[in-house]
Amino acid sequence: MIAEFSTKTRFQVTTSGALRPVTPARQRVTLRVVESGSTMPVPVRLHVHGASGEYLAPLDRHRIPNPEWFEDYSVDFLNQGEHWATYIPGETVLDMPLGRVFIEVSRGFEIRPQRRVVEVGTDCTQINLELERVLPWRQRGWVSADTHVHFLSPMSALLEGSAEGVNVV
């Protein structure tokens, strides 16, 4: 759990109840994701957290997304009640702490998901990730669809569907 006592200091509450400072996220970094063989950014599902386990959201997203229905219609979500994630169009900007940062990217069933640990230093301004297509289902004529969705704007449906490799939402 992360507790905030001021706008400048964040603390993590350990299992023993002790407080431990969380490294501030001040290093502005552009994250760019492409599919191998291309230079164009591709939509993906993204999770980023620091060494203390703190969720690091893109600058244009909620730092603490709302997990409840009918309260916030963004593309941020809480996966299985414990793993914050968001959808991005292939490129985004985040403020990251110096040191180890954990990045998880996925893009549907045809693309191999990636989990990376990146060492962010003061010279780190961009992180590029390349995804690998491992299943050629679309090339063989298969179509994927999600015909039961809730509370999505058309733009959210387009971004989430693209990032999950879904042809029809």
Side-chain angles (χ1 to χ4, degrees):
M1 172 199 326
I2 304 291
E4 275 191 56
F5 297 103
S6 74
T7 57
K8 295 186 180 187
T9 305
R10 294 175 68 196
F11 295 91
Q12 180 179 40
V13 180
T14 65
T15 54
S16 68
L19 295 178
R20 185 173 74 191
V22 174
T23 306
R26 294 191 183 123
Q27 182 66 26
R28 185 125 321 154
V29 177
T30 299
L31 176 71
R32 191 164 195 275
V33 183
V34 299
E35 200 171 308
S36 69
S38 173
T39 59
M40 295 298 298
V42 292
V44 294
R45 179 172 35 172
L46 173 70
H47 168 84
V48 182
H49 71 266
S52 297
E54 74 281 17
Y55 175 62
L56 301 169
L59 294 183
D60 62 345
R61 303 298 161 76
H62 298 292
R63 192 176 62 77
I64 303 174
N66 189 333
E68 306 302 327
W69 281 16
F70 300 113
E71 294 181 11
D72 188 357
Y73 297 99
S74 73
V75 293
D76 305 308
F77 67 98
L78 184 58
N79 190 11
Q80 299 186 0
E82 55 189 53
H83 190 74
W84 292 111
T86 192
Y87 292 100
I88 64 166
E91 187 169 299
T92 193
V93 178
L94 302 99
D95 283 342
M96 296 183 172
L98 298 179
R100 289 174 38 162
V101 172
F102 302 82
I103 301 173
E104 181 178 296
V105 176
S106 64
R107 186 164 196 254
F109 295 111
E110 295 183 75
I111 306 296
R112 183 184 314 278
Q114 283 193 21
R115 285 186 174 159
R116 293 272 179 99
V117 179
V118 177
E119 192 69 34
V120 175
T122 56
D123 60 338
C124 180
T125 59
Q126 183 159 343
I127 297 171
N128 296 310
L129 298 175
E130 187 174 291
L131 300 177
E132 175 189 6
R133 181 172 297 275
V134 292
L135 297 171
W137 291 348
R138 274 191 203 175
Q139 295 168 351
R140 294 183 182 168
W142 288 90
V143 174
S144 58
D146 187 351
T147 60
H148 186 128
V149 298
H150 294 269
F151 322 120
L152 291 176
S153 71
M155 292 309 294
S156 293
L158 179 63
L159 178 58
E160 290 182 29
S162 297
E164 293 291 354
V166 175
N167 301 100
V168 178
V169 177

